[in-house]
Amino acid sequence: MRELGKRLQTIVDYVKPDQRVADVGCDHAYVSMELAEKKNCTVIAMDINEGPLSIAKENIYGQKLDKKIETRLSDGLKELQSGEVDTVVIAGMGGHLIVDILRDGAAKLRPGMQLVLSPHSDLRLVRYSLRKQNIFIEQETCLSDAGKWYFVLNCTVGLSLPGEVPDEDAKADMMYGTWLPTHPTSEFLEYLEWEAKGLEDLIRSLEKQKTPAARARKGSLVKQLEESRQIRERLKEHGLE
């Protein structure tokens, strides 16, 4: 029996049923198999490395899901054909790589397509880049799983690609997005308080440095800490503790 954990289960929960799905960076195909079994999806499980893909194939055959899941060696979306899928899942990798995959594979995206993304890092860059590509974050989940903080983004490709989005618009909500501050959860508040402690420690460390770079970095962190404080206060107004 597969134990997905909260992060992978959230990814599965976001995917609509009966979809054709590309699971990019599928690793051992646990998400692919869950989607095939529980959501009646057909899946292309894709990975850049032969090793994980070979294990994924063994897992798929072991569960007798080979008629619903195809494995495919692919660098990002390169081996995906236009119109093959309705949904793209990209998880288990850094934000820079996710941004590169979506940028390089922009021709494979189509208006209305669902993207479910879970970057391990550089979340602000991901939010900014999505907005620049006219991809909209419809929902977002902040969660703690096995002692680490994760974010899962449920996105929709806009009606026009690529979108001409000014930088100032793309940067407006890149820090915390628009969904989480307006749909309060106790986990998001816990994350913000955890993050604030780290920011405060870093600011104190930078105060001991006298370089222009340290001063600039400190100013940026102070601004982030203030934005976080305002959001935390609003969340607590909803009764969250």
Side-chain angles (χ1 to χ4, degrees):
M1 180 155 178
R2 290 185 300 276
E3 292 290 341
L4 292 186
K6 288 172 65 178
R7 179 178 67 93
L8 296 185
Q9 187 60 57
T10 300
I11 291 169
V12 170
D13 290 343
Y14 269 144
V15 175
K16 301 170 187 174
D18 307 313
Q19 300 296 291
R20 300 172 300 163
V21 181
D23 182 6
V24 181
C26 68
D27 196 38
H28 296 171
Y30 295 142
V31 167
S32 297
M33 291 188 291
E34 196 76 4
L35 288 172
E37 286 185 330
K38 304 293 176 60
K39 291 294 190 79
N40 193 39
C41 293
T42 56
V43 185
I44 303 173
M46 310 170 78
D47 206 284
I48 192 173
N49 295 310
E50 286 274 15
L53 203 62
S54 176
I55 296 173
K57 190 176 294 186
E58 290 179 9
N59 291 337
I60 292 163
Y61 274 86
Q63 295 296 311
K64 298 180 173 56
L65 291 170
D66 50 292
K67 289 190 173 17
K68 298 191 74 172
I69 306 173
E70 170 193 344
T71 58
R72 188 178 298 179
L73 191 68
S74 179
D75 181 359
L77 300 173
K78 287 183 180 177
E79 302 306 319
L80 185 70
Q81 303 302 310
S82 295
E84 265 194 301
V85 297
D86 312 296
T87 300
V88 174
V89 172
I90 312 178
M93 61 189 77
H96 271 279
L97 184 51
I98 289 178
V99 167
D100 288 345
I101 288 171
L102 293 176
R103 183 196 62 221
D104 295 343
K108 310 294 174 67
L109 307 180
R110 69 174 194 276
M113 176 180 280
Q114 181 186 30
L115 307 178
V116 180
L117 313 174
S118 183
H120 280 355
S121 61
D122 303 300
L123 185 57
R124 282 178 287 174
L125 173 66
V126 172
R127 290 195 186 105
Y128 168 81
S129 299
L130 290 175
R131 189 69 187 91
K132 290 293 284 185
Q133 274 194 265
N134 206 33
I135 297 169
F136 300 93
I137 300 172
E138 305 286 356
Q139 294 171 280
E140 190 170 343
T141 298
C142 170
L143 60 92
S144 177
D145 189 7
K148 295 182 179 179
W149 287 104
Y150 296 100
F151 292 79
V152 182
L153 285 59
N154 181 23
C155 312
T156 302
V157 178
L159 296 180
S160 59
L161 287 172
E164 293 295 330
V165 179
D167 256 15
E168 59 188 48
D169 291 347
K171 290 178 179 177
D173 299 302
M174 61 187 288
M175 187 72 73
Y176 297 109
T178 58
W179 177 268
L180 290 169
T182 56
H183 296 76
T185 66
S186 56
E187 276 195 295
F188 181 49
L189 178 57
E190 185 181 345
Y191 166 79
L192 289 174
E193 292 176 337
W194 169 84
E195 180 194 55
K197 291 177 183 176
L199 291 173
E200 289 165 354
D201 289 343
L202 189 50
I203 289 168
R204 282 193 291 268
S205 174
L206 289 168
E207 285 173 345
K208 300 174 184 177
Q209 304 175 35
K210 305 302 179 183
T211 65
R215 286 196 296 272
R217 176 67 172 146
K218 176 191 168 187
S220 174
L221 294 177
V222 167
K223 181 179 179 182
Q224 181 178 349
L225 188 60
E226 174 59 20
E227 185 173 346
S228 169
R229 183 191 64 78
Q230 293 176 9
I231 293 173
R232 280 179 280 142
E233 287 182 355
R234 290 201 301 270
L235 295 185
K236 287 177 181 178
E237 289 174 1
H238 286 269
L240 297 177
E241 295 292 343

